[in-house]
Amino acid sequence: MSGREREQAVRAAGAGAAWRARSPPGTWRLFGPALAVWACAAFGVSHPGSGRIFALAAGGAGVCAIAIAIVAARRRDGRSAGAVAVGTAARSVLRHGAVALAALLLLGSVIDSGERVRADPVLAQAADERRELDLEVVLRGFPKAQASAFGGARSWVPAEARGATGAVPVVLWLDEQPRAADWAPGARLTVRGAPVALEPGSAAAYGVGVTRVGHEAPESLLERLVDGTGGIAARLRAHLRDAAAKTPRAELVPGLAVGDTSLVGEQLQLRMQQSSLTHLVAVSGDLVDTTDAWIFPAPAVMG
């Protein structure tokens, strides 16, 4: 091989290595919009009212780009250099930014609709006046409890309250551990308590300190199926917790299995945080709660 051929081979190998080091074509058309959506979602969590701005800005930019591209395509002859540049820029925006604009439009619409539901006037007025009221709620998870060093346990459960604007996400604060069979995802309850407005970034819009609970009897066959299935799951969960409570050093078993951390005391919780092991029960609990929150109420929704 001559020196020239060797030099060409080295250049070809370098070009191939550089090509392999580059990201695949089109990667930034998805990765860029994903970064933009994540950034806007993080901003929208702490800034209420920004969802509408995102939707209007993305929709307006998309409509303008489409209109400019159509007009530029129809008037190809006799255009100035500035008009050509504007048409090229509009087509470039559509080619590279269509996914980002569509994602931002969807994100803004979802945020705005969620904020409209959370801004229920009845709950907002009761929270301002610190007044108790009766609420019809549907549980969206199992009750969670945290053992206290002074005895007893603090309990809470995620739910949705029926409001004038739709199903408002709330969290019910309980003074004691409720009965297992009556508190399962999909169960319908009537509770009384004073709502408290939570931070905009919270999963729930209001917290309700429950002072009285009433259980609604299921009416249709599907509602009875949901109630029965949820009751069975809740009893199995309670039996596992009771068995673990009688077994030495088994406090973490319910948490690892079904996300029930009611036996985990403050000292054990602190040691888990110091050893970075809290995620073991957190992931299990989130997975079980998410699955149950969708599976158990599904028949009732279809009915």
Side-chain angles (χ1 to χ4, degrees), residues 30-237:
L30 297 179
F31 187 62
L35 289 178
V37 169
W38 289 335
C40 292
F43 182 85
V45 166
S46 57
H47 294 78
S50 57
R52 184 178 306 177
I53 298 176
F54 294 154
L56 292 176
V63 170
C64 291
I66 292 175
I68 293 174
I70 292 176
V71 172
R74 291 183 177 180
R75 299 181 180 179
R76 294 181 178 178
D77 299 331
R79 292 186 300 168
S80 62
V84 173
V86 171
T88 303
R91 289 193 295 271
S92 179
V93 169
L94 291 176
R95 185 180 302 111
H96 300 285
V99 176
L101 294 177
L104 290 176
L105 177 61
L106 178 61
L107 173 67
S109 301
V110 171
I111 293 176
D112 186 63
S113 61
E115 290 179 348
R116 289 176 180 271
V117 172
R118 294 166 69 99
D120 185 84
V122 177
L123 286 170
Q125 183 177 3
D128 292 338
E129 298 174 356
R130 299 181 180 180
R131 171 174 50 86
E132 290 190 351
L133 73 165
D134 295 323
L135 297 173
E136 296 180 3
V137 301
V138 179
L139 301 186
R140 288 294 177 246
F142 288 103
K144 298 181 180 181
Q146 183 68 48
S148 174
F150 303 98
R154 303 183 300 270
S155 301
W156 64 95
V157 58
E160 289 182 351
R162 183 180 302 175
T165 56
V168 183
V170 298
V171 57
L172 306 179
W173 295 325
L174 311 172
D175 293 333
E176 57 185 11
Q177 183 74 14
R179 288 182 53 192
D182 297 332
W183 295 74
R188 299 178 181 273
L189 308 174
T190 300
V191 300
R192 183 174 181 81
V196 177
L198 302 180
E199 295 293 330
S202 301
Y206 296 93
V208 181
V210 177
T211 58
R212 189 177 64 193
V213 180
H215 299 274
E216 296 185 7
E219 299 178 356
S220 64
L221 177 62
L222 286 176
E223 290 182 355
R224 288 196 294 270
L225 175 62
V226 172
D227 188 71
T229 305
I232 293 174
R235 282 190 289 270
L236 291 175
R237 184 185 178 97

